[in-house]
Amino acid sequence: MVTMETPCQKIVWDLVPAIRASLAIELVNRGQSQAASAKLLGIAPSAVSQYISGKRGYRIEFQGETKELIEKLAQDLIEDKVEDFVPRICQICTSARGNESNCNSTCGPKE
């Protein structure tokens, strides 16, 4: 039997967890506690701990525009400037799919 991973699965299993991990790490690096970071991201504190320790979240090293978008979202979360989290995550995901060498065309169509 042939098992095929679809582009959507690749995004959900690899890219989105990597974005969450990067956001959690960025928030902690900007002085937020793990508990505060978890609250800002709407996830459990244990998830933040696992992201930081590398036990959870596929490790993709984001660079360029994608990294800048993650850094900006982290700062905006800290400053309570985020009205709708979802479009910001979608923007980061689109950037990563278009620019990151670790997330190539198998992650879905490029914008």
Side-chain angles (χ1 to χ4, degrees):
M1 182 163 105
V2 176
T3 304
M4 183 161 75
E5 186 177 80
T6 67
C8 294
Q9 288 171 316
K10 182 94 174 138
I11 291 167
V12 170
W13 292 340
D14 295 342
L15 186 56
V16 173
I19 292 169
R20 283 190 192 130
S22 293
L23 274 169
I25 292 166
E26 188 66 30
L27 288 166
V28 170
N29 286 346
R30 290 175 182 257
Q32 298 298 300
S33 68
Q34 290 184 20
S37 297
K39 187 172 183 176
L40 288 170
L41 295 173
I43 59 177
S46 59
V48 172
S49 176
Q50 290 173 346
Y51 286 140
I52 291 169
S53 69
K55 294 179 183 177
R56 184 175 184 175
Y58 185 78
R59 291 303 187 148
I60 296 174
E61 202 55 43
F62 295 112
Q63 297 177 3
E65 177 190 28
T66 305
K67 183 176 181 175
E68 290 172 12
L69 289 169
I70 290 168
E71 291 169 350
K72 175 72 171 136
L73 178 54
Q75 189 60 42
D76 287 350
L77 285 167
I78 292 167
E79 296 175 1
D80 196 26
K81 293 181 179 178
V82 179
E83 291 185 32
D84 194 350
F85 188 72
V86 174
R88 299 285 294 271
I89 294 295
C90 290
Q91 182 184 24
I92 293 166
C93 182
T94 299
S95 173
R97 287 185 290 125
N99 296 329
E100 302 297 335
S101 61
N102 287 329
C103 185
N104 58 31
S105 62
T106 63
C107 288
K110 294 181 181 178
E111 300 284 321

